[in-house]
Amino acid sequence: MAPRAPATPHSAGQVLPFRQSLMAMLGMCFVVMMVAIDQTVVGTALPTVVAELKGFDLYAWVATSYLLTSVITVPIFGRLGDYYGRKPFVVSAILVFTAASALCGAADSMLFLVIARALQGIGGGMLVGTAFACIPDLFPDSYVRLRWQVMFSSAFGIANAIGPSLGGILTEYYGWRSVFYVNIPVGLLGLWFVSRHLPHLRHSDPNRKIRLDWPGALLIALALGGLQLVVELLPARGISNLTATLAAASLVAFGLLYWWERRCEQPLLPFEMFRNASLAPLFMLALLVGVSMFSLLFYAPLLLQGGFGLSPKDAGLLITPMVVCITVGSITNGRIVTRIKNPNNMLYVGFLLMCLATAGIISTHNYTPRWLIASYMLAAGLGLGFIMPNLTVFAQETAGRAHLGIATALLQSLRMVGGMVGTAVVGTMVNHSYISGVRASLDSGQALRWLDTLDDPQILVNPSAQAAFMQQVAAAGRDGASYLEAARVSLVGAIHDGQIIVLAIAILSLWFVRRVPPIRLTRRSKAASAPAE
């Protein structure tokens, strides 16, 4: 039997002294920031990447390949962390992600870059599936955990805030390859902190023989992979033979996964968690908040730049309150939730703020005061800051030590799946409404010749494309500015239509909070220790 980690009376509620806890958390914050920044800076660099490497047909796959592998690996490694302890997987994830970043920077073709991004997604999924679950390992007392979890929330907030600007600066002054190479020193720094200060804690019996559920892992990959591909292809191709086949294959894989995991002795995905009256509502809320959050993050910049004609800088300033206030909301939540009798009330407040923010976005127009738009973004950020940490802590409190990792990983996975499905559904609605509006504005047969150019709203955020369009229309004796303005009006109306779906989801989420049983946060006078190696 491995020795037990000593309890530390001077640091109640945590398994390590304060300094070592700080060093371990710093290491994980570095690598989580690395993953979060990578997801935001790559989008800024992609146009330059395509210009150099060519292969525009693989443009979307630079992002899709990463999402595909990360969504698959999050639940798998979340469960493996429960069995074997999380430190080996965190260390492996850092190595995989850092090595893949170097390969991305060295890519000499788009296909090579797509494959390297898929490898990066494996490392990112391993990190998300294990790093979040390290926090309750280190801080069994939920009161203490909420205070330390602010570090993670701050890391994500900083990463999301600086990511787009950092990507632009690195690409402009040092080339697009630097966007990937910058991960290497950050990864090595995080690796040093984690390998030295993060303990290897195991909550399962070290003498118990564990058989890996490889069929379960394969079925998870097929089910989630098929779903991801359907979501990516649906907005562009609609309901075609390919998307219908992929959807059917994904449904069959989900059915087989459910059948297999119920009969497996040591299932990778314990389905009894979804039947747990306390956990199931939290999983559903994670799915719903993913729809609201990602739809807002994705379409707010397009509304401001394409619909209102703001510059990227001005649009970024208006969106910054949302990103920053996710961190502010998390810090405020940690101070409040431990002092109120019913912690569930923070979920009500969070989803109410999301409802108000979404309703506010639907009401915005070009003449709306900028401070009012910023206040809607601020409300959305605070709402998310109240929701996301509490969903994680509540699930960890409910799941128990044996399922802690997989419960945490499932929350992250379901939020990502919600984001995927939400942006696909909202995107389909926005595209249909926008094209219909543009077609209606081009009332004459001669004007319809410009539909192929205007049917992509990206022209409204690309000044050079707009200038070329204006020259073509002027040569035909028409007023190109009026066509662009009509397209902007159509885009604003289309995004408002899409956000109505998001508002309905936010209202449903607010109503669904009532299904969450009352949560009682635990206090421990001494840390609950676990077997350590």
Side-chain angles (χ1 to χ4, degrees):
M1 178 71 70
R4 298 180 69 83
T8 53
H10 58 280
S11 53
Q14 57 196 59
V15 301
L16 299 174
F18 174 82
R19 182 181 178 278
Q20 190 175 352
S21 296
L22 179 62
M23 295 295 104
M25 286 293 291
L26 277 176
M28 288 189 292
C29 284
F30 274 125
V31 295
V32 168
M33 274 188 70
M34 175 179 69
V35 173
I37 289 177
D38 182 83
Q39 295 177 15
T40 54
V41 300
V42 170
T44 308
L46 265 184
T48 306
V49 174
V50 174
E52 180 175 327
L53 298 182
K54 313 304 180 187
F56 182 78
D57 54 323
L58 295 175
Y59 183 95
W61 278 96
V62 175
T64 300
S65 60
Y66 181 97
L67 285 174
L68 186 61
T69 52
S70 62
V71 167
I72 291 169
T73 51
V74 166
I76 292 174
F77 285 96
R79 189 55 164 163
L80 292 178
D82 285 334
Y83 286 151
Y84 297 106
R86 280 167 257 283
K87 181 174 180 176
F89 299 109
V90 174
V91 171
S92 299
I94 298 171
L95 293 173
V96 169
F97 193 92
T98 306
S101 298
L103 291 175
C104 288
D108 57 359
S109 69
M110 284 292 285
L111 179 60
F112 188 101
L113 179 60
V114 167
I115 295 171
R117 284 285 288 170
L119 183 61
Q120 246 191 338
I122 294 175
M126 291 171 66
L127 267 175
V128 172
T130 53
F132 282 89
C134 286
I135 303 179
D137 283 345
L138 295 175
F139 312 105
D141 186 318
S142 55
Y143 284 69
V144 176
R145 189 189 318 155
L146 279 163
R147 292 199 295 268
W148 283 92
Q149 197 157 346
V150 169
M151 291 182 66
F152 256 31
S153 300
S154 300
F156 268 103
I158 293 170
N160 289 324
I162 69 174
S165 301
L166 179 63
I169 292 171
L170 289 175
T171 302
E172 182 175 352
Y173 292 102
Y174 302 102
W176 66 266
R177 297 180 189 275
S178 63
V179 167
F180 297 105
Y181 286 144
V182 76
N183 290 333
I184 297 175
V186 179
L188 293 176
L189 188 61
L191 181 64
W192 184 85
F193 277 101
V194 168
S195 60
R196 284 180 60 89
H197 299 289
L198 182 66
H200 185 189
L201 303 174
R202 292 186 64 174
H203 299 288
S204 61
D205 185 354
N207 297 319
R208 178 191 178 193
K209 186 177 181 180
I210 296 173
R211 297 177 59 185
L212 291 180
D213 180 17
W214 292 113
L218 176 62
L219 289 170
I220 289 174
L222 292 175
L224 292 178
L227 177 62
Q228 168 72 18
L229 290 174
V230 169
V231 167
E232 290 291 333
L233 295 174
L234 191 61
R237 300 198 178 197
I239 302 177
S240 62
N241 290 335
L242 177 60
T243 54
T245 301
L246 285 172
S250 180
L251 285 174
V252 170
F254 274 115
L256 289 174
L257 176 64
Y258 179 74
W259 176 84
W260 171 258
E261 295 296 86
R262 290 189 65 188
R263 287 156 179 78
C264 184
E265 182 181 352
Q266 297 177 1
L268 198 61
L269 193 62
F271 273 94
E272 68 268 14
M273 296 177 66
F274 292 96
R275 295 192 296 270
N276 185 307
S278 298
L279 280 173
L282 297 173
F283 289 151
M284 177 59 71
L285 287 174
L287 186 72
L288 295 176
V289 79
V291 175
S292 302
M293 179 176 70
F294 285 101
S295 298
L296 192 60
L297 286 171
F298 190 80
Y299 285 102
L302 183 60
L303 175 67
L304 296 176
Q305 293 183 56
F308 299 161
L310 299 183
S311 67
K313 176 184 175 183
D314 291 339
L317 288 175
L318 289 177
I319 294 172
T320 296
M322 177 169 64
V323 177
V324 172
C325 284
I326 293 176
T327 302
V328 174
S330 299
I331 296 172
T332 306
N333 173 78
R335 304 290 294 180
I336 295 175
V337 75
T338 56
R339 290 173 165 81
I340 60 178
K341 185 177 180 180
N342 184 5
N344 296 43
N345 288 337
M346 296 304 295
L347 291 178
Y348 283 107
V349 175
F351 281 110
L352 178 60
L353 287 171
M354 286 297 296
C355 291
L356 294 175
T358 308
I361 294 298
I362 294 172
S363 69
T364 56
H365 292 278
N366 195 28
Y367 52 79
T368 303
R370 299 295 180 250
W371 66 266
L372 188 56
I373 298 176
S375 68
Y376 297 148
M377 298 297 174
L378 184 149
L382 286 177
L384 291 170
F386 291 160
I387 294 167
M388 293 192 294
N390 287 325
L391 289 180
T392 301
V393 172
F394 292 179
Q396 291 168 349
E397 285 291 294
T398 306
R401 309 302 297 180
H403 297 319
L404 192 150
I406 186 61
T408 306
L410 281 174
L411 275 179
Q412 311 304 322
S413 295
L414 288 169
R415 193 166 67 209
M416 294 167 69
V417 169
M420 286 160 33
V421 174
T423 52
V425 172
V426 173
T428 302
M429 176 70 178
V430 169
N431 288 342
H432 176 76
S433 181
Y434 171 73
I435 292 174
S436 299
V438 171
R439 185 182 295 274
S441 68
L442 302 176
D443 49 4
S444 68
Q446 185 176 3
L448 286 174
R449 62 192 283 199
W450 309 113
L451 180 63
D452 289 341
T453 303
L454 293 173
D455 66 356
D456 185 353
Q458 291 300 319
I459 190 176
L460 302 177
V461 298
N462 188 334
S464 60
Q466 293 173 33
F469 173 77
M470 297 273 284
Q471 290 180 352
Q472 292 176 2
V473 175
R478 295 285 183 132
D479 181 12
S482 64
Y483 291 156
L484 287 175
E485 183 58 30
R488 291 191 189 279
V489 172
S490 298
L491 180 61
V492 171
I495 293 177
H496 285 171
D497 291 343
Q499 291 301 307
I500 290 174
I501 299 176
V502 179
L503 176 59
I505 294 294
I507 294 172
L508 175 63
S509 304
L510 180 62
W511 176 84
F512 202 82
V513 173
R514 57 195 274 276
R515 301 286 299 274
V516 179
I519 299 293
R520 295 290 177 262
L521 302 178
T522 58
R523 299 256 17 194
R524 289 175 171 85
S525 57
K526 292 186 179 182
S529 58
E533 296 177 359

